[in-house]
Every structure is written in C-alpha cells, then in structure tokens.
Amino acid sequence: MDVPIWLTNSRTRKKELFEPIDPDNVRIYVCGPTVYDRAHLGNARPAIVFDVLFRLMRQVYGPEHVTYVRNFTDVDDKINARAQASGRSIGEITAETTQWYLDDMAAVGVMEPTHMPRATEFIDQMIAMIGDLIEKGHAYEAEGHVLFAVESYKAYGGLSGRSVDDMIAGARVEVAPYKRNPMDFVLWKPSEPELPGWDSPWGRGRPGWHIECSAMSYELLGASFDIHGGGNDLMFPHHENEIAQSCCAHPEGGFAKVWLHNEMLQVEGKKMSKSLGNFFTVHDLLEGRDGQAGVPGEVIRFVMLSTHYRKPMDWTAEKAREAEATLRKWRGMVADVEVGAVPETVVSVLADDLNTAGAIAELHKLASSGDLGGLKAGAGLLGLLTPEMGAWDEVSVDLSGLADKLAAVRAAAMESKDFSEVDRMKAALLEAGVEVRMSKAGVELLPGAGFDAAKLEGL
C-alpha cells in the first residue's frame, strides 16, 4: 500500500516524511519493561502505541519487511532488591514477571514483536562494546567501574536539547569520587557475591542500564536502523546515553534515524501515584479491584488510542464506559460480516503521525455509513474488533424477548395512558446496563457499558 507516513521526530522536533533506510527491512527498536513486578497502566501506553506503529508499517511495507525489537531488562537493582526482600531467586522472579507482562499486553491487544531479547542473553556483546569504547577513548576504568566519558562525545545532549552544563546543574547524578565528570555514566559496575555477576576484563560485575539497549539493537538491527521509541521519560538520560555510546562504538552508523516518544498517563486528571490511591496495574484493571468489575482489554486499548500519543493521556472511568458502549455496538454490527479491505482513509489518517484518535473518528464514519466490512478491517488495523480480543461482549441472555415484552407493555400503555409499567421496565433495564431505544418502528435493546445479565432476572 503506497501511503506516505509522517512522524514527529523527537530529535529534530519536526514532523517528517518517513523514508526507510531499506524498504525491504524496516527496523524498529522500543525500550521494554524492567521485569520486577506487574506492569502498571502507564507501562501499557508505549506498548500499545508502538504496537500500532508496528501494525501500520506491516500494512504499508508488508509483514515480512518489518522487524520490531522490544527488550526485557532482566538485570537491574530493583530486581535484586525484590529477590532479597522475598527470598526468591532472581531467575524465578524475572521468569514470572516477564510472563505476566506478556499476558497482560496480549490482553490489551499487543502483538508480540519480532524479537524480545533479554538483557542477560547479551552480556558478552555488552562487554565487547564496553571494551571497544575504552579502546577508542570514550570510556575509562575506575575502581572496578567502567564509565562513559561524556565530554568525548561532542554531540551529547542533541536529543533532549540540553547542554552538558545545564544537565549537570539540573540532574540528580550519582556523586562518585571515581568520576572524571559528574555526567559520566556507568557502563559496568562490580557485583557483590550475593548479586548477579559476570566475569569481565574489569572483574566480576554487571552492566549499567543504558548499555544493554545499545548492544541489543546493534546485534539485532545493525549500526543504523529506522525508528527508536519509548516514553518521553526515557529521553534523558537513557536515550541520550544510548546515542552517545552507540555512535562512539559504531561511528560508521547513525544509530536511530527517527526518535518517537509518547507522553505520560494520568488517572482522572492526576498523575498516577500510590500516595493518591490512583495507582493500579493492568492486571488490576483487567480483573477488577476495590469491588469494581474488570475492564475488558479491548476497552483499555480503545481508551488509550482515543488520545494522540504525543499528548498526555487521561484515563477516566467515564471514558471506559463510553468505549465499552461503542465497542459493544460495533461488535454487534460486524458479528457476521466478512472483513473487507482496510479503507485507505483509515490508513492515511493513521499514517499522519500515528493519529489514532483520527482513525477512530474514521471508524465512526464507516459505522454510520454502513460500510461494515471496512469498519471491521479498519478497526483490525488498530487492533480492535479482532477475534484475539476475545468475546467479552457476548450476551448470555437473548434480549429480543424482553424487547417484545416492552413493546407489548408500551402498546397497552398507549391505550390505557398508564405508563408506570413501561417506566418500571425501562428503569430496570437501564440499571442492568441495557440501552433502551424506542421508536415508531419498535423497541430495540442493546447491552451497554457495565451490562449485567443477572439484574434482568426480575424481568
């Protein structure tokens, strides 16, 4: 499909026409989770955003021509602390939490990337890259640590747009006597006997956080690739440091050509935090918490996609109810419909800097016009209305009988002018989460947001 794709490059701060390095091998790298606990709702946003990017690139360039890498950080001080606090092994914790993440992301419609490397599988490559940086004069050993010398890379700060002096003044950097410059960052650090460690030329130790993405992206995508993505909280220092060490280790390449960053997530207009009581995991939301019913994964995805990735996303209960009602309606409309071709209108809007909100608006137009094959296909491009999202919308009660009953009660009320029974039935249906539509043509009952079949037993 020959559709131009425009993306806002964080590095140039401009919306640019995407021109792949090799159209036969479009390459994307996205920073994945540190696997020490359940993924919270904010973690789901980049997973969903870059899943849509992956789907768009597959649609435009062909599935066989797109390579998407999203890593797992499975060596980290948070993981070590969790292991020490729980008495469980690090391997057991990371295996469990990695599977939790995969299960939760699958529940919100995220396809598995082409590669999902784990940091611990690439330690040898990290050690080799660190050694190369030392040889080239971009890193130095000090007291068992190896540090990247920020002053050796003149373009440092180009992504975040800050000078080194400004970053020193505003950053909370680790104060250590062995650093030549306060901004120098750790590539390798020593490990105590009880902590994970690997033999290296600088002693038994473990890698710093930033080096893992540089090593894994180089091994799987090469010295130059098309797109690097992540949350905007990673722009500095993580992505800034990735650029520095990658460009110094492999000056023949340009590392990532385009940088994409999604904005953060709020809950009911406030930053998500445990102190405010509005912090919850994807699993919490899926399964239900504090006596509230669970939210279907497809609903979570729809709400996320209703806001452009470069804008702050506000999760609200009202948005979830509206999304559920829309999805129930659309699923009812396309239940027995063959999937058509993906409408070019949907692709074109989505190709304008991943405008998912605009693409959803196009789906509403398709629904209104009766192009149900196009609706099903266009929604599928966004990861919606797919069989993989399950049958959460299926109703265990046939509402046609209740619709006929309400129609008869309404007809009798028209004669008697006593509408009390009509009002009682409508109130009970609304309480059960049923949308009641009455017109001259008859009565239509549709399960809406929060539908509860058990509440219809009295009717």
Side-chain angles (χ1 to χ4, degrees):
M1 182 176 281
D2 187 18
V3 176
I5 297 173
W6 292 82
L7 299 170
T8 297
N9 188 345
S10 301
R11 195 166 191 176
T12 62
R13 293 157 184 78
K14 295 177 182 177
K15 188 157 72 171
E16 302 169 346
L17 178 64
F18 175 69
E19 297 179 293
I21 297 167
D22 177 2
D24 289 331
N25 185 19
V26 179
R27 287 159 286 169
I28 304 167
Y29 187 93
V30 172
C31 293
T34 299
V35 283
Y36 68 97
D37 206 347
R38 288 274 186 190
H40 61 69
L41 190 58
N43 299 140
R45 191 175 195 197
I48 292 172
V49 164
F50 294 109
D51 175 69
V52 173
L53 176 69
F54 184 33
R55 291 170 185 267
L56 174 64
M57 292 296 178
R58 287 163 57 93
Q59 176 71 25
V60 173
Y61 293 98
E64 69 278 11
H65 299 304
V66 183
T67 303
Y68 174 27
V69 178
R70 187 191 65 211
N71 73 299
F72 285 104
T73 297
D74 60 350
V75 52
D76 182 86
D77 290 344
K78 289 179 181 177
I79 300 171
N80 299 339
R82 179 60 56 94
Q84 290 175 333
S86 66
R88 301 173 69 198
S89 73
I90 287 169
E92 186 181 358
I93 289 172
T94 57
E96 178 182 63
T97 51
T98 296
Q99 193 58 51
W100 282 350
Y101 181 85
L102 292 172
D103 292 344
D104 289 345
M105 294 308 107
V108 296
V110 173
M111 297 195 305
E112 290 197 354
T114 317
H115 302 288
M116 295 187 288
R118 288 150 173 76
T120 52
E121 299 170 342
F122 288 79
I123 300 294
D124 288 345
Q125 290 87 340
M126 294 181 213
I127 291 172
M129 183 177 275
I130 294 168
D132 188 38
L133 287 168
I134 292 173
E135 282 185 25
K136 291 175 177 173
H138 295 292
Y140 58 93
E141 184 181 359
E143 298 183 22
H145 295 72
V146 179
L147 297 107
F148 183 87
V150 166
E151 289 181 339
S152 74
Y153 181 59
K154 301 308 178 188
Y156 191 82
L159 178 65
S160 56
R162 296 184 254 185
S163 71
V164 173
D165 289 342
D166 288 342
M167 286 186 276
I168 291 173
R172 291 178 294 176
V173 295
E174 180 187 354
V175 178
Y178 47 78
K179 284 188 176 185
R180 295 178 185 171
N181 182 310
M183 291 305 299
D184 292 351
F185 56 89
V186 172
L187 300 173
W188 190 263
K189 55 188 173 183
S191 284
E192 299 297 325
E194 69 275 10
L195 294 177
W198 291 263
D199 291 332
S200 81
W202 321 286
R204 182 180 179 276
R206 60 193 190 278
W209 174 31
H210 314 297
I211 193 67
E212 66 176 77
C213 289
S214 288
M216 289 188 283
S217 64
Y218 176 73
E219 290 297 322
L220 296 170
L221 300 177
S224 299
F225 56 93
D226 295 292
I227 298 171
H228 195 314
N232 67 358
D233 58 324
L234 298 179
M235 187 181 293
F236 179 81
H238 186 51
H239 290 163
E240 200 76 76
N241 292 351
E242 280 187 62
I243 292 170
Q245 61 203 11
S246 293
C247 289
C248 289
H250 302 288
E252 74 280 7
F255 196 44
K257 184 177 178 182
V258 177
W259 286 83
L260 298 182
H261 290 93
N262 64 274
E263 258 287 359
M264 296 296 99
L265 175 136
Q266 298 176 320
V267 175
E268 303 289 349
K270 297 179 180 178
K271 183 178 179 180
M272 189 167 67
S273 71
K274 291 180 179 178
S275 62
L276 292 175
N278 66 351
F279 179 96
F280 46 90
T281 67
V282 176
H283 187 259
D284 287 337
L285 204 57
L286 290 166
E287 297 298 317
R289 61 195 287 271
D290 300 331
Q292 297 179 343
V295 179
E298 189 172 30
V299 172
I300 297 172
R301 185 180 184 91
F302 189 102
V303 174
M304 292 272 189
L305 296 182
S306 297
T307 299
H308 192 275
Y309 78 95
R310 295 183 63 242
K311 295 180 179 178
M313 193 261 143
D314 189 19
W315 173 273
T316 69
E318 180 59 28
K319 285 181 181 177
R321 284 191 291 270
E322 291 172 357
E324 184 175 335
T326 297
L327 287 167
R328 281 188 185 278
K329 178 181 176 182
W330 286 356
R331 278 188 165 266
M333 293 169 69
V334 305
D336 300 313
V337 173
E338 289 291 323
V339 179
V342 178
E344 192 161 330
T345 53
V346 176
V347 181
S348 296
V349 171
L350 193 61
D352 183 9
D353 201 20
L354 284 188
N355 185 1
T356 53
I360 288 174
E362 291 297 320
L363 298 184
H364 280 290
K365 292 178 186 177
L366 292 166
S368 298
S369 69
D371 183 359
L372 302 185
L375 170 62
K376 196 169 189 177
L381 178 60
L382 291 175
L384 301 169
L385 306 186
T386 63
E388 294 80 16
M389 295 306 285
W392 60 268
D393 63 312
E394 287 186 357
V395 180
S396 58
V397 176
D398 183 358
L399 299 181
S400 61
L402 281 175
D404 292 342
K405 181 178 179 180
L406 180 56
V409 169
R410 185 178 69 153
M414 298 289 282
E415 293 290 330
S416 67
K417 307 302 181 187
D418 179 5
F419 288 87
S420 58
E421 181 61 14
V422 175
D423 292 339
R424 186 192 73 81
M425 283 193 69
K426 280 183 63 179
L429 288 163
L430 292 171
E431 173 64 23
V434 177
E435 182 182 348
V436 180
R437 297 179 181 176
M438 293 194 293
S439 65
K440 292 180 180 178
V443 174
E444 185 180 12
L445 301 181
L446 298 171
F451 174 73
D452 185 354
K455 293 182 178 179
L456 295 176
E457 292 178 2
L459 296 174

